[in-house]
Amino acid sequence: MKAAEAVSSERRAYYDRIDAYNMAPLWEVLHALVTPEPVSPVRPAIWHYDEIRPYLMESGRIISAREAVRRVLILENPGLRGTSQVTRSLYAGLQLILPGEIAPSHRHTQSALRFVVEGEGAYTAVDGERTTMHEGDFIITPPWTWHDHGNESDGPMVWLDGLDIPIVQMLDASFAENGNAEQQMITRPEGDSPTRYGHGVLPVDWKPGSKTSPVFSYPYARTRETLEHLRKTDAPDPCHGWKVRYINPATGDWAMPTMGTFMQLLPGGAATAPYRSSDATVFVAVEGEGDSRIGDIVFAWKKRDVFVVPSWTTVTHQPKSEAVLFSFSDRPVQEKLGLFREERFGK
Ligand code: GTQ
């Protein structure tokens, strides 16, 4: 408003007259619309799992998974409170399912990823196939696929939900419906899609039915094996350590059309070289502990903590010893629109 106050009374009177016709002068706002580099309300943020876990468990006494439909504590960026956004394009939340509970079947146009944070043995069912969840697994719910979750194990199960809710919201393209039954019919054996599509072969006449990977479960054990192999054979990247991206094996493209997902192994000792990119990124610590400097702020993290690096904010990671980080961002969207930029400093 400062700029507006400085304008002459002649201009202000003119702005008032055109206002009645739902018009506004570009020259008063151009600098804020078209910035020389990203200017974001998103702030670096961290959720320490030790601190928030008691509240998550308390949610289990306040409401059932059935009543809540999805019993989730939304992780809201402190710069975006009230918007259900962890970055401007992404949603994140921690979902709790207690033994014996069911999160009923529904489907929606938003893509979802599950990153398993705590617990063992609950399942998510996607399009007639169940997947048992283990810590560190990355599991996909493609748009418009029926999905329900359940916990037949004897402990609480917690995973991070990552969804493209703000992207779908911006496009006004949200559609959703509830299933007729709480749990969908299981029509394929467990392991069907990873075996069918994830072994370097495809059924000969198979054609993609969607833009999402036909493999919807990426077990941690296999990703970890790749990272360990890279560690033994390759020098670490100065900015990333040993870092892989999850792919759709049928196309080599990202596993999901709107969200890029990554896992990286950071060598112990030295800090990574400074790096920044235009995709605000949500990280989950999977193994180890360390510090990350994000802009001017240093966060100390350990296993299960979640932290956010805003767009175009320089980050360095300094693990205490070897550590593993999972992360996700809107990079596939930015790449497809020709918007993605990154910058490496020093090395
Ligand atoms: O599991 O379908 O955290 O629809 C938010 C919206 C989870 C889900 C969320 C959802 C889901």
Side-chain angles (χ1 to χ4, degrees):
M1 277 290 98
K2 284 240 167 55
E5 276 157 30
V7 303
S8 69
S9 55
E10 184 199 7
R11 284 186 188 170
R12 197 161 325 126
Y14 167 73
Y15 298 164
D16 287 346
R17 279 184 284 120
I18 64 172
D19 181 70
Y21 296 89
N22 299 311
M23 297 193 292
L26 170 64
W27 56 89
E28 292 291 346
V29 293
L30 180 59
H31 61 286
L33 291 179
V34 181
T35 59
E37 51 181 61
V39 175
S40 177
V42 175
R43 299 218 293 261
I46 186 163
W47 290 266
H48 296 287
Y49 195 70
D50 286 352
E51 280 176 23
I52 61 175
R53 188 182 186 281
Y55 295 106
L56 193 58
M57 294 304 146
E58 202 178 330
S59 77
R61 298 191 288 277
I62 281 175
I63 192 165
S64 69
R66 181 175 277 118
E67 191 191 347
V69 182
R70 297 294 181 264
R71 186 175 49 219
V72 178
L73 295 187
I74 302 170
L75 306 183
E76 278 193 342
N77 191 280
L80 300 169
R81 292 308 312 274
T83 65
S84 305
Q85 297 175 357
V86 70
T87 70
R88 295 252 275 177
S89 59
L90 300 172
Y91 158 102
L94 287 169
Q95 179 156 180
L96 170 69
I97 299 220
L98 294 170
E101 285 194 315
I102 287 169
S105 186
H106 71 181
R107 63 177 178 173
H108 40 69
T109 47
Q110 290 82 357
S111 292
L113 69 86
R114 328 281 169 194
F115 186 73
V116 182
V117 170
E118 180 187 339
E120 206 70 26
Y123 68 84
T124 188
V126 173
D127 258 357
E129 181 176 343
R130 271 191 187 183
T131 298
T132 304
M133 298 167 122
H134 314 272
E135 281 183 17
D137 291 357
F138 157 56
I139 292 160
I140 297 173
T141 311
W144 212 242
T145 54
W146 293 109
H147 53 286
D148 51 83
H149 319 296
N151 187 349
E152 293 169 358
S153 80
D154 52 15
M157 190 87 197
V158 177
W159 63 80
L160 183 86
D161 282 326
L163 284 89
D164 55 7
I165 288 173
I167 297 176
V168 176
Q169 209 166 39
M170 182 188 70
L171 299 170
D172 280 340
S174 176
F175 295 88
E177 59 187 20
N178 291 321
N180 292 327
E182 275 198 326
Q183 289 176 285
Q184 63 184 286
M185 294 249 300
I186 299 304
T187 54
R188 287 176 292 153
E190 176 148 9
D192 186 89
S193 74
T195 312
R196 201 180 281 265
Y197 306 114
H199 284 189
V201 292
L202 288 172
V204 66
D205 287 324
W206 184 85
K207 298 272 184 313
S210 85
K211 296 188 186 306
T212 304
S213 170
V215 177
F216 61 84
S217 166
Y218 296 75
Y220 184 53
R222 294 191 68 176
T223 313
R224 190 68 181 83
E225 187 187 332
T226 301
L227 291 175
E228 181 59 18
H229 178 75
L230 295 178
R231 187 185 70 79
K232 285 192 188 127
T233 56
D234 297 3
D237 177 272
C239 296
H240 302 309
W242 297 275
K243 186 170 183 175
V244 294
R245 64 183 179 94
Y246 289 88
I247 62 149
N248 175 341
T251 61
D253 204 344
W254 300 94
M256 320 180 74
T258 50
M259 293 185 285
T261 45
F262 309 86
M263 192 77 90
Q264 70 197 107
L265 173 61
L266 295 166
T272 55
Y275 172 84
R276 63 178 174 175
S277 57
S278 55
D279 57 330
T281 303
V282 179
F283 286 87
V284 186
V286 186
E287 291 181 32
E289 55 188 297
D291 291 337
S292 291
R293 174 179 290 278
I294 304 167
D296 303 329
I297 299 178
V298 178
F299 290 140
W301 46 260
K302 61 181 170 46
K303 186 176 152 88
R304 300 189 170 117
D305 292 351
V306 179
F307 61 93
V308 174
V309 177
S311 168
W312 215 235
T313 305
T314 303
V315 61
T316 61
H317 303 294
Q318 179 142 31
K320 286 211 167 69
S321 57
E322 255 180 32
V324 178
L325 298 176
F326 171 82
S327 57
F328 70 102
S329 78
D330 61 15
R331 182 166 166 176
V333 176
Q334 294 202 24
E335 286 189 354
K336 292 209 167 59
L337 300 180
L339 294 169
F340 179 72
R341 286 200 194 193
E342 61 183 340
E343 189 174 14
R344 305 164 62 96
F345 297 89
K347 299 170 219 175

